[in-house]
């Protein structure tokens, strides 16, 4: 699933950066300061995402549900 918050931050940063380059704005302008703030937000968000996920996409200690040995392939309600 797409991370809409991250996409919105990156889109805003891209638009601000284009404006700054087009106008030749110096570093101390509000637009450039907002870009720095967005960079920090993006880094924090990515760190939060990386810290919350383990390898394989499952939380640590999670196991797959065990299937019973006598279960049929068709499921519970499949009488033929």
């Amino acid at each position: 699933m797409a991370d809409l918050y991250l996409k919105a931050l990156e889109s805003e940063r891209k638009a601000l950066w284009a404006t700054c380059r087009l106008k030749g704005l110096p570093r101390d302008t509000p637009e450039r300061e907002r870009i720095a703030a967005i960079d920090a937000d993006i880094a924090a968000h990515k760190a939060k995402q990386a810290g919350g996920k383990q390898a394989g996409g499952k939380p640590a200690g999670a196991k797959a549900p065990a299937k019973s040995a006598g279960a049929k392939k068709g499921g519970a309600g499949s009488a033929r």
Side-chain angles (χ1 to χ4, degrees), residues 42-67:
I42 289 172
H45 186 71
K46 285 184 178 181
K48 183 179 175 184
Q49 280 184 329
K53 292 186 178 180
Q54 298 290 330
K58 294 182 182 177
K63 294 182 180 180
K67 293 184 179 181

Side-chain angles (χ1 to χ4, degrees), residues 24-80:
L25 298 176
R27 289 187 182 190
D28 60 343
T29 59
E31 290 87 352
R32 294 286 294 262
E33 290 172 4
R34 177 66 183 143
I35 290 171
I38 291 172
D39 287 340
D41 290 344
I42 289 172
H45 186 71
K46 285 184 178 181
K48 183 179 175 184
Q49 280 184 329
K53 292 186 178 180
Q54 298 290 330
K58 294 182 182 177
K63 294 182 180 180
K67 293 184 179 181
S68 63
K72 294 183 180 180
K73 228 178 188 180
S78 63
R80 293 183 188 202

